[in-house]
Amino acid sequence: MSKKTSNRASVALFVFGVLFFFYHYGIRSVVPNVFNEDLQRYFLIDATKTGQLIGTFYFTYMIAQIPAGIAIDKFSIKKILIFSFLCVACGMIAFVADNNYFLASTGQMLSGIGGAFSFVLLIK
């Protein structure tokens, strides 16, 4: 692979990572704020449970940044980006798949892990 092709691949990977991070940032900021009442009706929960559901994402996001940094230093950036994308995709599918609160919490946890990896990738 020539240096020019390698440079283009690096730029494409960076652009994909940035777009993915902004997409995930949109999900992270829109879902709790705009759809708060809809979440309460969909999952048949009160405001406290809604806060716990949204907080599940942020706690996982915060804790997963340390292993994300270690994994990014150890493994390929492409593999980590794919892992991050799959975590967020599976998390969103689990979040909207059923009105089961436990499944939604698990989806939020997966999304938090993927978001932490994408954030640390963007910084690196």
Side-chain angles (χ1 to χ4, degrees):
M1 193 183 317
S2 69
K3 186 168 179 98
K4 190 173 187 179
T5 306
S6 175
N7 193 20
R8 284 184 185 165
S10 296
V11 169
L13 188 62
F14 176 74
V15 168
F16 178 74
V18 168
L19 290 175
F20 173 64
F21 177 76
F22 284 130
Y23 161 76
H24 190 260
Y25 180 77
I27 290 173
R28 184 175 50 192
S29 61
V30 169
V31 168
N33 297 323
V34 176
F35 298 118
N36 193 5
E37 292 175 7
D38 295 329
L39 288 174
Q40 289 177 6
R41 277 191 303 248
Y42 183 72
F43 292 113
L44 302 172
I45 55 177
D46 58 354
T48 304
K49 287 281 194 182
T50 305
Q52 289 172 349
L53 181 64
I54 295 166
T56 302
F57 168 82
Y58 287 107
F59 288 130
T60 309
Y61 179 79
M62 176 186 62
I63 292 169
Q65 286 182 0
I66 294 170
I70 294 168
I72 289 169
D73 288 340
K74 193 171 189 175
F75 300 110
S76 166
I77 290 177
K78 291 178 187 177
K79 291 179 183 176
I80 299 294
L81 189 60
I82 291 169
F83 170 76
S84 175
F85 178 75
L86 288 175
C87 276
V88 171
C90 290
M92 287 294 109
I93 289 170
F95 185 71
V96 299
D98 193 16
N99 61 353
N100 185 347
Y101 180 77
F102 179 75
L103 187 61
S105 295
T106 305
Q108 287 289 82
M109 290 171 83
L110 281 172
S111 187
I113 291 169
F117 276 82
S118 68
F119 176 70
V120 175
L121 273 173
L122 186 65
I123 290 175
K124 184 170 178 160

